[in-house]
Amino acid sequence: MRPRLRIWTAAGALSLLAAPALAQQPVVEDLTARSGSGSFYDQTAAREPAGGNLELFNELQRNQEQLRQLRGQVEELRYQLDRLKRQTRQQYMDLDERLSANAGAASATGGAGAAAAEQVANGGNAGEPSASSTGQAAGASGSMDNDAGARADYQAAFAKVQAREFDAATQAFEAFVDQYPNAGLTANAYYWLGELHSAGGDLEAAGASFQRVLDDFSDSNKVPDTLYKLGLLKARQGEPEASQALLERVQQEYPDSSAANLAADFQRQSGN
């Protein structure tokens, strides 16, 4: 009886010692019954414990949450950038509108004064003006009518920019420069064509419009802004030397202009 008891006791002790070792072994699944054939490695494939899959799932959830947060931040930054662009564009529009109105009023006043001066210089009789003074007055009146028509067409095109109808605004300004190639506001129209083409991604057309202002309207009040914008455009086109030359030029030739300050700010920010 005692020998049998010792055998049972020894067997129990061995089973207790073997339990931890068995618990550490990977779960092995015999795939012979499923596949019917296969290599030794296929038939003894080890299955991952359930805890590993749960950890991977939690990690995936954390990554997805971080991705959602990053997307939200990107959307917020995009909204702020769009709002800043709208504010900047509106400021430029308001300034250009005021300058254009002042330029148009000065042109109309100058034309009327010139017509009156011509009539006095010719000694025209108040009751019966001479043929020469009559012809000159008619020419001045026609010029004023032409200026008034150009101003109206320019304001109509500019209104499309304010309404964010950029394609329609581009067409309107192109029609304006064709109809009024030498009007007082033609330089302004070419400048806004440059802005519109640049915003639309047509950098070649934008550069051609800006260059037209510099080449054909060197006395225009849009020259400083044009030099600055063309300098930025050259930077976008990968021409840093041309960009720096234009930015330096606007600072040297128009040091008191807002364009000169903007050019200096751009150079500081870009490290030049």
Side-chain angles (χ1 to χ4, degrees):
M1 186 67 180
R2 288 181 180 176
R4 183 175 301 176
L5 179 60
R6 284 197 296 269
I7 293 174
W8 289 348
T9 303
L14 289 174
S15 64
L16 291 175
L17 292 173
L22 292 174
Q24 296 176 0
Q25 296 299 319
V27 180
V28 178
E29 181 180 0
D30 187 356
L31 303 180
T32 306
R34 296 187 184 178
S35 59
S37 62
S39 68
F40 171 79
Y41 297 103
D42 293 336
Q43 296 178 14
T44 58
R47 294 178 298 176
E48 291 290 338
N53 291 335
L54 180 59
E55 184 176 353
L56 289 175
F57 177 76
N58 291 335
E59 182 68 20
L60 178 61
Q61 291 292 98
R62 288 193 295 270
N63 291 339
Q64 289 178 343
E65 179 62 26
Q66 292 177 358
L67 182 59
R68 282 193 292 267
Q69 293 176 359
L70 290 175
R71 284 176 176 173
Q73 293 175 4
V74 170
E75 290 299 326
E76 177 65 21
L77 291 174
R78 182 180 290 115
Y79 170 76
Q80 294 178 1
L81 180 61
D82 289 342
R83 183 174 62 179
L84 181 60
K85 286 182 177 179
R86 289 194 298 269
Q87 291 175 349
T88 303
R89 186 183 295 115
Q90 188 62 45
Q91 290 173 355
Y92 270 112
M93 292 175 182
D94 294 341
L95 177 61
D96 185 79
E97 188 173 10
R98 289 195 297 270
L99 292 175
S100 300
N102 292 337
S107 176
T109 303
E118 285 291 333
Q119 187 172 2
V120 172
N122 288 333
N125 195 315
E128 296 179 358
S130 65
S132 176
S133 62
T134 301
Q136 291 170 348
S141 177
S143 177
M144 291 176 60
D145 291 341
N146 187 56
D147 289 342
R151 264 197 319 277
D153 290 345
Y154 178 88
Q155 293 298 340
F158 196 78
K160 297 184 185 302
V161 178
Q162 292 177 311
R164 302 180 63 82
E165 299 174 2
F166 299 135
D167 291 339
T170 301
Q171 295 175 2
F173 277 122
E174 288 176 346
F176 180 91
V177 297
D178 288 340
Q179 186 173 357
Y180 307 102
N182 297 306
L185 294 171
T186 304
N188 297 52
Y190 274 117
Y191 171 83
W192 282 108
L193 278 173
E195 289 276 30
L196 290 165
H197 286 310
S198 179
D202 191 348
L203 302 187
E204 292 296 331
S209 297
F210 286 139
Q211 193 63 48
R212 190 69 178 270
V213 177
L214 301 180
D215 292 343
D216 297 347
F217 305 94
S218 58
D219 295 333
S220 171
N221 58 10
K222 299 301 293 183
V223 169
D225 289 338
T226 301
L227 287 170
Y228 168 65
K229 288 303 180 72
L230 188 56
L232 298 187
L233 185 68
K234 292 298 182 182
R236 290 175 62 187
Q237 291 178 312
E239 302 179 29
E241 294 182 357
S243 173
Q244 291 303 314
L246 289 163
L247 296 175
E248 292 291 342
R249 178 180 169 187
V250 69
Q251 294 176 74
Q252 293 173 2
E253 297 182 7
Y254 306 93
D256 298 328
S257 65
S258 60
N261 294 330
L262 292 172
D265 290 340
F266 178 80
Q267 286 182 316
R268 281 193 296 269
Q269 293 176 6
S270 60
N272 296 313

